[in-house]
Amino acid sequence: MNVVRRLMVAFVVFAFAGGAAMAAGESGGTSLIHFRPGSERLGDVIPYFDKGVYHVFYLKGSGWGHIASEDLVHWRELPDALEAGKGPGAPDGQNCWTGSIVKEGGKYRLFYTGKNSDDPKGEQKVMRASSPDLVTWTKEPD
């Protein structure tokens, strides 16, 4: 199965994850057919394939969660990719909304919508972060 087709399968599985029953005896967010994050809601999914690993970033609370799989069946949770900014003036202080990821040279770039109704620069703006490995993300200044 080619990469595009696998990503489409992953998207469909995640899009309809809410209706699937949890597998008996399994803990946390794992079922027979999909990943489900503990008590958080799973929002927009942002799939990314790199070096034989399927990464799925998703909206989780006010930030971005992150899981990875080599086979689209067995998933492992990775550290959250993004958290809302700290402080009342943070441009993404209320929420980190959907976005996308690209690779530029040897670095990954994450673009997302930052929300803060109290920010004098505007309620919503395009924000960015970078990573050397898709796991450790650093927000970049305006």
Side-chain angles (χ1 to χ4, degrees):
M1 189 182 297
N2 70 33
V3 171
V4 172
R5 191 171 200 172
R6 285 184 182 219
L7 286 174
M8 291 302 295
V9 168
F11 177 77
V12 169
V13 168
F14 280 96
F16 296 101
M22 294 297 288
E26 293 192 28
S27 63
T30 306
S31 80
L32 293 174
I33 63 167
H34 72 274
F35 167 82
R36 185 182 300 176
S39 62
E40 298 279 343
R41 288 191 66 175
L42 186 147
D44 300 4
V45 295
I46 300 102
Y48 191 86
F49 180 78
D50 188 59
K51 300 176 184 170
V53 178
Y54 299 92
H55 294 264
V56 176
F57 298 86
Y58 60 94
L59 301 187
K60 174 184 173 187
S62 60
W64 280 32
H66 182 194
I67 59 175
S69 172
E70 284 78 28
D71 62 7
L72 296 175
V73 175
H74 302 94
W75 295 93
R76 65 185 185 282
E77 280 189 272
L78 297 170
D80 288 347
L82 291 175
E83 294 180 0
K86 307 293 185 224
D92 58 355
Q94 293 174 332
N95 224 316
C96 299
W97 285 341
T98 200
S100 60
I101 297 172
V102 296
K103 187 174 185 179
E104 178 184 39
K107 196 176 222 181
Y108 302 92
R109 306 265 184 206
L110 185 156
F111 298 90
Y112 66 102
T113 304
K115 181 195 185 303
N116 187 342
S117 300
D118 300 323
D119 187 347
K121 293 182 181 176
E123 181 176 0
Q124 297 179 31
K125 70 260 339 140
V126 175
M127 307 289 296
R128 64 187 189 275
S130 61
S131 172
D133 59 7
L134 288 171
V135 177
T136 306
W137 292 93
T138 302
K139 291 181 183 179
E140 295 180 353
D142 296 350

